[in-house]
Amino acid sequence: MNGESFVRFGENAGYLAELYQLYLSDPSLVDPAWVEFFRSLDHTGVSNGYTNGHANGHVNGHARPVEAIRLSVSNDVVGERLVEGFRAYGHAAAHLSPLEAGGMKAEAPAELQLSHYGEERDPSQITFSGVSFAGRSYSSCAQLVQALRETYCGTIGYEYAHLTKVEERRWLQARIEGRAPTFSAEERKQILRDLIRAELFESELHRKYVGTKRFSLEGNDTLIPMLSVLASSSAQAGVKGIVCGMAHRGRLNVLANSIGKPLATIFAEFEDKTVATIAGAGDVKYHLGWETRRAPSGAEIELSIVPNPSHLEFVNPVVEGVVRALQDRNDRDNRGAYLPLAMHGDAAFAGQGIVFETINYSGIGGYYTGGTFHIVINNQIGFTTTPDESRSTRYCTDLAKGIDCPVFHVNAEDPEASCWLTQLALEYRMAFGKDVIIDLIGHRKHGHNEGDDPSFTQPGTYAEVKGKKVIWQQYAERLVNSGVVTQADVDAEVEAYKNEFAAASEGVGGSVGTEACGIHGRLEVPLTDTGVKKETLLTIARSLTQWPEEFKPHPKLQKIIEKRVETVEAGEGIEWGVAEALAFGSLGLEGRSVRLSGQDCCRGTFSHRHLVLDDFEARGTFSPLVELAQREGAAGLFEVYNSSLSEASVLGFEFGYSATNRDALVMWEGQFGDFANGAQVIIDQFITSSESKWGQLSGVVMMLPHGYEGQGPEHSSARLERYLQMCAEGNMRVCYPSTAAQHFHLMRRQGLSEIKRPLIIMTPKSLLRLPAAMSSLKDMVKGTFQSVLETDLSGKKACKNLVFMTGKVGHDVQAALQGADKVSARLIRVEELYPFPQDEIARILKETGAKSAFWVQEEPHNMGAWSYVAPLLRETLGFDPVYIGRPASAATATGSSKHHAIEQKAIVSELLARLTK
């Protein structure tokens, strides 16, 4: 084989060159067949780089054929490695920031330099036998470098080399390197139109409402044409709806120009002429949501933006839950049918842990939504904090690469690149069903809000910003110069929007409707019968042991489950986990969907549930209630998922799911109730107040294991007092059931209610298997959840004392007092704390004629229900109840099990002493 045939190996030349280098250093390192191949290249013989005794393969001052071939191949290797260097690191040298002062600076990574590959010559002096890039073969190194820089170092920075699947890298590579101008003249005019509307919306608002907070989008106006492209492209791709979540920066602009909220409605909010003006409650204008239907490309698509508090990124998991519920309800087999769109701030994306808690479950089955479309509205500042003060990485998006998704950075002052990138990102999401991130890098024209002076902390940056032309003006000049539009066309667009704005302003004023949300402040009257036929309950119970023939349950667990089924067959001794399974199964058979998620909830933290079984001999799981629903042809879904080790993002997801699928019973279970404080923002800003602020209903159930059993301060209290403190206006229910049947009826009541509010349940630990907390089958065949349970110790209706308790301590007290002499008391377990059962308590007082009352709790004096119930009991009874329980404490419980036992005994002893005086 001669030298010419060797260089024709094209893409394999690099591989051959590496083999050849090994051969030159030591022929024994190369397969014998290759040794023969390389020796055959020169008919005069080759030995370790020497030919016919002449060093370096030179004969009569000329390079021998083999040496020429070696140099040519080595050049090709350098070229090929340079191509890979640009693919991986070209983004660092891209022109991504529109700011010179204080903006992100382009770098020159070593991998983009020929010297990194051992080549010191100028590119103009280097030739290749043929290096492939972007569908063509390059022989000129200078031309290759120019092509690489144009592709990878322009106004878009591509990060995709980290992707683990080669087919994804190749897919993106082909489209990036094959990019060509794709926008028609009409499409470019639409981009300009969107840019004009985006900027004029802000500037006209600024003139109309001088100094009023609106959290302007200016500096990242390109977001609006990007969203237009996303909506039209999504509709064409078969997406039925886009659900957006974003913080306040640019939200009003998106509401007006992308979602379609009327300008007159927005003006009314600026002028405080809304329902909230009369009814109270409500929220500030830049937190509110909206939804509409549009047909931007002929195909109709639903567009909505979810309400969000000032807690920036905490709406992200809510959006995921909303989308998952839409998919489950409308198109379960096509996760691509609804698109979650999360718009972030740069400082928040890097700094808020909820971002990564949420993207972490983007590929987990129970929370998968077909890939989220992320846009970072990158102002290159967070309030007054610069990027070097707010993160340890070059890009705010760097940690997100851990979920194996591509990240694209783009200069906001290149609208066409931004819109093309939006199309590429959507295509990727639809093709691979994964998250994709666009980092839109612009600036912030004003301070954090419009009344803030940013030059106090960034004087250089804001001196530059002050002199900048707005993006639509820059783009209009390009289109005018290229003949796409005339200056008269541009002026007409500006005038048209100003007229539209002025017309909408004239429509604001007059009287404001005084009728608030028709369901606000009203808890639905509880169902009077949530019982289930005995035959149905037996069918559900028997299904728990009806696994497929090939499925092998754990031998020990099989016996446990069989014994549980036997209790249902016998009609007595039904424990908590079984009652819960009966409730779930019955709802499923009635066509109601049931969804439960949380840490370890398939088995249950305390090994009490076992609704998803693992095969003992092979990999795989089996869910009896899923099989039952399918066998019976039930319309509802039954789903139980172990979640990631996150409280905030998972609870936020379930809130969003329940706010959308209001027919379903949607539950989140804490591993221990104490751990719910990791989700406090979701609890405070969404669950307890979403209806009051936004008119957004949710029926999410929080199941929080609670009870003092000597397990220490982190495994005793679900902080009951915090939930009771947040109860008002019928916003939710707080319950502490004390028997298995009560839990059964409570689950069914929530699942069957047509109008659901959040339900907070203090669930048990030791009560799960306590005989006194077990129930009979007849308790579940008839009846409903009881707000109070009574036990009369005296055997007479009349008694001296009322002893009020809630939850587990009620069993402790009842066990201690059951055989006590000279005790005239009625024990009252308050099972529903909010709404407080004042009518029931008034009835008991009238019936007994009692003159004294006690509130007994195992939580410290400054915790538990005492602070909440004391004024309510005083109001209902007409006299002050006496507190019996632990003294006030900084921690929820003692870390000593022995001291716990002493404290617990003292509570009961004090009560007994007072009752027997």
Side-chain angles (χ1 to χ4, degrees), residues 832-855:
E832 185 164 46
L833 291 155
Y834 186 82
F836 194 67
Q838 286 181 290
D839 290 346
E840 282 290 288
I841 291 171
R843 174 190 61 78
I844 294 170
L845 178 66
K846 182 178 180 180
E847 189 176 277
T848 61
K851 301 300 181 183
S852 66
F854 303 89
W855 176 264

Side-chain angles (χ1 to χ4, degrees), residues 3 6 11 30 88 117 155 328 398 403-404 448 559 565 649 664 754 776 826-827 833-834 852 876 901 916:
F6 184 48
E11 292 184 359
V30 180
Y117 307 102
T155 54
D328 284 352
D398 279 344
I403 64 165
D404 201 37
H448 177 66
K559 294 179 181 178
V565 175
S649 68
E754 293 303 320
S776 65
R826 184 171 294 191
L827 305 183
L833 291 155
Y834 186 82
S852 66
T876 308
T916 55

Side-chain angles (χ1 to χ4, degrees), residues 446-583:
H446 305 287
H448 177 66
N449 61 63
E450 286 64 35
D452 185 38
D453 186 346
S455 67
F456 290 161
T457 50
Q458 282 81 33
T461 297
Y462 278 89
E464 178 184 351
V465 168
K466 190 174 181 179
K468 265 188 169 294
K469 285 186 177 180
V470 297
I471 296 176
W472 75 258
Q473 291 173 338
Q474 298 177 41
Y475 189 59
E477 287 180 3
R478 287 172 54 188
L479 297 192
V480 169
N481 292 336
S482 61
V484 175
V485 297
T486 65
Q487 187 58 50
D489 294 332
V490 177
D491 295 342
E493 286 290 349
V494 171
E495 188 65 22
Y497 184 78
K498 288 184 176 180
N499 291 337
E500 179 185 337
F501 192 95
S505 299
E506 294 173 2
V508 180
S511 61
V512 178
T514 58
E515 187 173 327
C517 177
I519 53 176
H520 172 71
R522 302 177 189 171
L523 277 169
E524 187 181 25
V525 177
L527 301 172
T528 56
D529 187 2
T530 49
V532 178
K533 292 180 180 179
K534 179 179 178 180
E535 294 75 16
T536 301
L537 294 175
L538 288 171
T539 296
I540 297 167
R542 290 163 185 163
S543 75
L544 300 178
T545 56
Q546 293 173 350
W547 36 74
E549 186 177 345
E550 65 276 10
F551 182 83
K552 305 298 180 185
H554 192 292
K556 182 178 178 181
L557 183 57
Q558 179 176 348
K559 294 179 181 178
I560 292 172
I561 295 175
E562 287 172 348
K563 288 182 179 179
R564 290 180 174 181
V565 175
E566 289 173 6
T567 63
V568 180
E569 297 278 7
E572 297 291 340
I574 299 171
E575 63 184 43
W576 209 277
V578 181
E580 183 182 77
L582 295 175

